[in-house]
Amino acid sequence: QTVRWHIELQPWASPTPSLNYEASRFLKYISTSQILCEHTNLNSLKGYSETAKKPWSVCLDERFSLIHRIRSKQCRLYSLGLGSDDNQFELSMANSGCEVHRFDPSIKSAHIQEGRHLWYHRLSIDWRDPNPAIAAHKVHSNTKKLGTVLNEFGHQKIDVLKADVESAEWKILENLILEDVVEQIGQLVFEVHIHWPGFEVSGNDSTVVRYWYSLLRELELKDFRLFHTYKDLSKPQMFLKKEAFNASSCYTLSWVNTRWK
């Protein structure tokens, strides 16, 4: 299989590149569920209390694998974060018997186990591995690609990948798609930030939005379907540094891999 270096960009939304058309297409896309999921709420799970600050929704419908893997105590959640204290979702998944790994570079020790099912790792998940030949990278050797971590942990699959990584999500998502790691994931729950292009995303505004849209269409090509979308009205209502298009700077999006029955 040939290694891909770039995702396929979708055609422009209009005959000549236009931010209005790109933004309209993108915002409509992230605001529209593609598949109906009737059970998205963790209240049905043991030990869950409804105090999560954000709607981290997973699809618990019988036709997908997650609910069955929770019942058989075989499910695995990877949570990528940056110093957030909102870990109610992780705790509830651990309490329901899932193996939960929380990756956060601000954690005090390299690995901490809390209870039977919850691990904290002082690791930052990135879209590239550190280069051992570059001295500055040695300092950041707690930064790794998700595929590298899966190999090191001996994990073949992740039932749920949750990410709140403050604008690194676009490049991380691109890496997961290019390296086919996304096919090892059952559900994705990502907070996406659109108030600026994101880390190492370049180009003018319409180019950036086309890139975001193309990334999400790549997920669709890999049989991921958006089943829950949440517009965060508590965050600044900004789109690429402008108050425009009635957009929030932050959306929480949930996809299910429809190949995982």
Side-chain angles (χ1 to χ4, degrees), residues 54 56 163-164 166 169 189-193 235 250-252:
K54 293 194 184 108
W56 301 107
D164 180 3
E166 306 303 334
E169 66 275 354
V189 190
F190 268 57
E191 188 169 281
V192 300
H193 302 84
K235 294 283 174 71
C250 182
Y251 291 74
T252 308

Side-chain angles (χ1 to χ4, degrees), residues 153-168:
F153 284 24
H155 294 162
Q156 299 297 317
K157 292 189 168 180
I158 308 171
D159 293 283
V160 181
L161 176 65
K162 173 199 166 191
D164 180 3
V165 288
E166 306 303 334
S167 301

Side-chain angles (χ1 to χ4, degrees), residues 125-165:
I125 302 299
D126 200 25
W127 55 94
R128 62 211 153 178
D129 284 328
N131 182 342
I134 300 175
H137 283 197
K138 288 198 170 75
V139 183
H140 302 290
S141 58
N142 60 347
T143 296
K144 290 176 179 169
K145 293 189 295 193
L146 188 68
T148 304
V149 172
L150 282 169
N151 288 338
E152 289 181 0
F153 284 24
H155 294 162
Q156 299 297 317
K157 292 189 168 180
I158 308 171
D159 293 283
V160 181
L161 176 65
K162 173 199 166 191
D164 180 3
V165 288

